[in-house]
Amino acid sequence: MSCEKFTTRAQNKRYLADTVNSLIKEAKEGDAFADIPLDLRHHKPKTKLQFPDSWKLTPERKKQIEARRAERLRLEKERAGIIDGKAVIADAARVLPALNPALRAKATEERERVAVRVTDLLIQCIILIHLHTYTLLLLSISTMILILAKSSCIK
């Protein structure tokens, strides 16, 4: 608080002290507002929740919770604790073909070998089936030519 009503500092200081003392006296001895009704329209009472008795913490339930906590702590101690991210990334780079160029080349080569084997088996099946019927011989030859042409494109 500050006051500049009077010409000297001492008068202003004395005025402020008197004002504060009168405010304190009025707060202690003043009107209690007993004649003013209390408006409770904006106040909503808290609801008191009633929980079932089965939710209460019994000694058996405490033992069960403690056993579960002990088991969880034991499992956490069994694990290594802190996981080294660099080691995880190094293992993934060693194992996953998408991250390892040598494995990617090997996987591509394996896919090509499987495609060639499937093509060879298909040709053999077609030859065996069509050898028994003379009428479909021309069809089998054209099919084999197409398959051989496709297999040469695959390689």
mmCIF file of all heavy atoms in Angstrom, residues 87-104:
data_model
loop_
_atom_site.group_PDB
_atom_site.id
_atom_site.type_symbol
_atom_site.label_atom_id
_atom_site.label_comp_id
_atom_site.label_asym_id
_atom_site.label_seq_id
_atom_site.Cartn_x
_atom_site.Cartn_y
_atom_site.Cartn_z
ATOM 1 N N ALA A 87 23.380 -53.291 -29.147
ATOM 2 C CA ALA A 87 23.485 -54.744 -29.324
ATOM 3 C C ALA A 87 22.268 -55.287 -30.066
ATOM 4 O O ALA A 87 22.396 -56.173 -30.927
ATOM 5 C CB ALA A 87 23.628 -55.425 -27.969
ATOM 6 N N VAL A 88 21.084 -54.761 -29.757
ATOM 7 C CA VAL A 88 19.869 -55.207 -30.439
ATOM 8 C C VAL A 88 19.945 -54.877 -31.925
ATOM 9 O O VAL A 88 19.612 -55.700 -32.786
ATOM 10 C CB VAL A 88 18.624 -54.560 -29.788
ATOM 11 C CG1 VAL A 88 17.378 -54.833 -30.606
ATOM 12 C CG2 VAL A 88 18.455 -55.053 -28.371
ATOM 13 N N ILE A 89 20.420 -53.680 -32.252
ATOM 14 C CA ILE A 89 20.532 -53.275 -33.658
ATOM 15 C C ILE A 89 21.589 -54.107 -34.373
ATOM 16 O O ILE A 89 21.405 -54.526 -35.521
ATOM 17 C CB ILE A 89 20.842 -51.769 -33.753
ATOM 18 C CG1 ILE A 89 19.637 -50.969 -33.286
ATOM 19 C CG2 ILE A 89 21.217 -51.379 -35.171
ATOM 20 C CD1 ILE A 89 19.884 -49.498 -33.145
ATOM 21 N N ALA A 90 22.691 -54.405 -33.687
ATOM 22 C CA ALA A 90 23.736 -55.223 -34.301
ATOM 23 C C ALA A 90 23.222 -56.632 -34.586
ATOM 24 O O ALA A 90 23.490 -57.201 -35.652
ATOM 25 C CB ALA A 90 24.960 -55.271 -33.399
ATOM 26 N N ASP A 91 22.483 -57.220 -33.647
ATOM 27 C CA ASP A 91 21.900 -58.549 -33.871
ATOM 28 C C ASP A 91 20.914 -58.521 -35.036
ATOM 29 O O ASP A 91 20.893 -59.441 -35.862
ATOM 30 C CB ASP A 91 21.194 -59.037 -32.607
ATOM 31 C CG ASP A 91 22.180 -59.422 -31.512
ATOM 32 O OD1 ASP A 91 23.374 -59.620 -31.838
ATOM 33 O OD2 ASP A 91 21.762 -59.521 -30.344
ATOM 34 N N ALA A 92 20.092 -57.484 -35.106
ATOM 35 C CA ALA A 92 19.120 -57.385 -36.197
ATOM 36 C C ALA A 92 19.831 -57.245 -37.534
ATOM 37 O O ALA A 92 19.431 -57.859 -38.525
ATOM 38 C CB ALA A 92 18.185 -56.201 -35.953
ATOM 39 N N ALA A 93 20.893 -56.458 -37.570
ATOM 40 C CA ALA A 93 21.641 -56.281 -38.820
ATOM 41 C C ALA A 93 22.315 -57.578 -39.243
ATOM 42 O O ALA A 93 22.511 -57.833 -40.427
ATOM 43 C CB ALA A 93 22.682 -55.181 -38.647
ATOM 44 N N ARG A 94 22.660 -58.415 -38.268
ATOM 45 C CA ARG A 94 23.310 -59.686 -38.580
ATOM 46 C C ARG A 94 22.292 -60.713 -39.085
ATOM 47 O O ARG A 94 22.596 -61.539 -39.929
ATOM 48 C CB ARG A 94 24.007 -60.208 -37.320
ATOM 49 C CG ARG A 94 24.883 -61.415 -37.546
ATOM 50 C CD ARG A 94 25.671 -61.801 -36.310
ATOM 51 N NE ARG A 94 24.980 -61.669 -35.046
ATOM 52 C CZ ARG A 94 24.132 -62.574 -34.536
ATOM 53 N NH1 ARG A 94 23.868 -63.665 -35.211
ATOM 54 N NH2 ARG A 94 23.556 -62.368 -33.380
ATOM 55 N N VAL A 95 21.042 -60.641 -38.619
ATOM 56 C CA VAL A 95 20.059 -61.686 -38.890
ATOM 57 C C VAL A 95 19.083 -61.316 -40.020
ATOM 58 O O VAL A 95 18.705 -62.171 -40.807
ATOM 59 C CB VAL A 95 19.276 -61.993 -37.587
ATOM 60 C CG1 VAL A 95 18.156 -62.969 -37.839
ATOM 61 C CG2 VAL A 95 20.213 -62.547 -36.536
ATOM 62 N N LEU A 96 18.673 -60.071 -40.115
ATOM 63 C CA LEU A 96 17.631 -59.684 -41.069
ATOM 64 C C LEU A 96 18.213 -59.414 -42.457
ATOM 65 O O LEU A 96 19.152 -58.639 -42.599
ATOM 66 C CB LEU A 96 16.913 -58.431 -40.570
ATOM 67 C CG LEU A 96 16.148 -58.582 -39.268
ATOM 68 C CD1 LEU A 96 15.581 -57.248 -38.842
ATOM 69 C CD2 LEU A 96 15.045 -59.600 -39.395
ATOM 70 N N PRO A 97 17.627 -60.031 -43.499
ATOM 71 C CA PRO A 97 18.138 -59.813 -44.854
ATOM 72 C C PRO A 97 17.976 -58.371 -45.329
ATOM 73 O O PRO A 97 18.767 -57.892 -46.130
ATOM 74 C CB PRO A 97 17.281 -60.751 -45.718
ATOM 75 C CG PRO A 97 16.722 -61.749 -44.785
ATOM 76 C CD PRO A 97 16.637 -61.093 -43.454
ATOM 77 N N ALA A 98 16.959 -57.663 -44.818
ATOM 78 C CA ALA A 98 16.754 -56.283 -45.248
ATOM 79 C C ALA A 98 17.890 -55.378 -44.781
ATOM 80 O O ALA A 98 18.173 -54.362 -45.410
ATOM 81 C CB ALA A 98 15.425 -55.757 -44.713
ATOM 82 N N LEU A 99 18.571 -55.754 -43.696
ATOM 83 C CA LEU A 99 19.647 -54.931 -43.157
ATOM 84 C C LEU A 99 21.041 -55.458 -43.488
ATOM 85 O O LEU A 99 22.027 -54.775 -43.238
ATOM 86 C CB LEU A 99 19.497 -54.832 -41.632
ATOM 87 C CG LEU A 99 18.188 -54.217 -41.129
ATOM 88 C CD1 LEU A 99 18.124 -54.286 -39.617
ATOM 89 C CD2 LEU A 99 18.058 -52.785 -41.595
ATOM 90 N N ASN A 100 21.128 -56.673 -44.029
ATOM 91 C CA ASN A 100 22.419 -57.295 -44.297
ATOM 92 C C ASN A 100 22.520 -57.583 -45.797
ATOM 93 O O ASN A 100 21.801 -58.438 -46.321
ATOM 94 C CB ASN A 100 22.544 -58.582 -43.488
ATOM 95 C CG ASN A 100 23.938 -59.160 -43.532
ATOM 96 O OD1 ASN A 100 24.699 -58.894 -44.446
ATOM 97 N ND2 ASN A 100 24.256 -59.966 -42.546
ATOM 98 N N PRO A 101 23.422 -56.927 -46.542
ATOM 99 C CA PRO A 101 23.521 -57.135 -47.995
ATOM 100 C C PRO A 101 23.888 -58.574 -48.366
ATOM 101 O O PRO A 101 23.404 -59.098 -49.363
ATOM 102 C CB PRO A 101 24.621 -56.159 -48.428
ATOM 103 C CG PRO A 101 24.737 -55.166 -47.325
ATOM 104 C CD PRO A 101 24.300 -55.852 -46.088
ATOM 105 N N ALA A 102 24.736 -59.230 -47.564
ATOM 106 C CA ALA A 102 25.123 -60.607 -47.876
ATOM 107 C C ALA A 102 23.909 -61.528 -47.772
ATOM 108 O O ALA A 102 23.688 -62.390 -48.630
ATOM 109 C CB ALA A 102 26.235 -61.060 -46.929
ATOM 110 N N LEU A 103 23.110 -61.351 -46.717
ATOM 111 C CA LEU A 103 21.906 -62.178 -46.574
ATOM 112 C C LEU A 103 20.878 -61.848 -47.648
ATOM 113 O O LEU A 103 20.157 -62.736 -48.113
ATOM 114 C CB LEU A 103 21.286 -61.971 -45.191
ATOM 115 C CG LEU A 103 22.038 -62.580 -44.014
ATOM 116 C CD1 LEU A 103 21.362 -62.222 -42.719
ATOM 117 C CD2 LEU A 103 22.143 -64.083 -44.155
ATOM 118 N N ARG A 104 20.822 -60.591 -48.056
ATOM 119 C CA ARG A 104 19.884 -60.203 -49.106
ATOM 120 C C ARG A 104 20.248 -60.902 -50.417
ATOM 121 O O ARG A 104 19.391 -61.420 -51.125
ATOM 122 C CB ARG A 104 19.902 -58.687 -49.288
ATOM 123 C CG ARG A 104 18.803 -58.205 -50.211
ATOM 124 C CD ARG A 104 18.777 -56.698 -50.388
ATOM 125 N NE ARG A 104 18.890 -55.989 -49.130
ATOM 126 C CZ ARG A 104 19.677 -54.930 -48.939
ATOM 127 N NH1 ARG A 104 20.416 -54.458 -49.914
ATOM 128 N NH2 ARG A 104 19.724 -54.333 -47.769
#
